[in-house]
Amino acid sequence: MKKAELLKTEHSVQLRWLSNQLDNISRNNRSFSSKNEVVERAFDKLNSGLIIADADLEHFIFIHLSKISQQRLVTTLRVNKKRMGLGVERLQVDLSSLNNGRLNQIL
């Protein structure tokens, strides 16, 4: 599947990826875009409604993401598509160090 076709699918995955990337900006100041503040404001505006239209999300991606970020998103979508084809569901959670230790003990 080509890049343009992939970016028109799995909008919930794209939104989750964008949220995670924007969280990373504030944590470690990695370059997500040339203008991080503008991207953050635009993303907040995008998220202000109850429902995010697919067209609005696609517009945000094409306008505010750099080419490298778009390629990373496409890679994420390809990996997600392959995983979903295998019947695997990935859960994203934050573990406290105490709970992480407990899980390691169980293993």
Side-chain angles (χ1 to χ4, degrees), residues 17-30:
W17 183 86
L18 281 170
S19 296
N20 290 340
Q21 295 303 311
L22 288 170
D23 286 343
N24 286 340
I25 288 174
S26 59
R27 282 191 221 142
N28 56 13
N29 291 329
R30 270 195 319 188

Side-chain angles (χ1 to χ4, degrees), residues 2 4 7-8 18 22-23 27 29 35 37 42-43 48 51 53 56 62-63 71 74 81 86 94:
K2 293 186 178 185
L7 291 174
K8 295 194 180 292
L18 281 170
L22 288 170
D23 286 343
R27 282 191 221 142
N29 291 329
K35 299 176 183 174
E37 298 85 22
F43 189 72
S48 64
I51 298 173
D56 292 340
F62 285 114
I63 297 299
Q71 187 56 45
V74 167
K81 185 175 177 158
L86 299 173
D94 293 325

